[in-house]
Amino acid sequence: MTEPPLAMLRWRCRRGMRELDLLLLRYLERDYPGAAPAERAAFVVLLSRQDPDILGLLAGRLAADDAALAHVVARLLVTG
């Protein structure tokens, strides 16, 4: 899978909910560049989900599909 350019990821981080925008953009700027390929891919998968799903993952109402996604969710919560 080819990794999307940072500009596209930055645009996809803009969700319309300020708090969620800030969390996603902060992760993209701080953690994404140094993340392992599996973590980067999981972040891209997370961005493909609908806002209620992302919020559910962050609030603990939904469980992550795999370990890499769970790791990204945990990093988002620490980053925030």
Side-chain angles (χ1 to χ4, degrees), residues 38-39 41-43 45 49 57 63-73:
E39 184 176 332
F43 183 68
V45 168
R49 298 184 94 158
L57 288 165
D65 300 340
D66 61 35
L69 185 58
H71 181 73
V72 170
V73 170

Side-chain angles (χ1 to χ4, degrees), residues 12 15 17 20 24 44-58 61-62:
R12 290 178 64 193
R15 309 302 287 204
M17 179 181 288
L20 192 51
L24 294 171
V44 172
V45 168
L46 179 68
L47 293 179
S48 72
R49 298 184 94 158
Q50 297 293 319
D51 290 357
D53 290 342
I54 296 172
L55 290 171
L57 288 165
L58 293 172
R61 292 188 308 268
L62 296 175

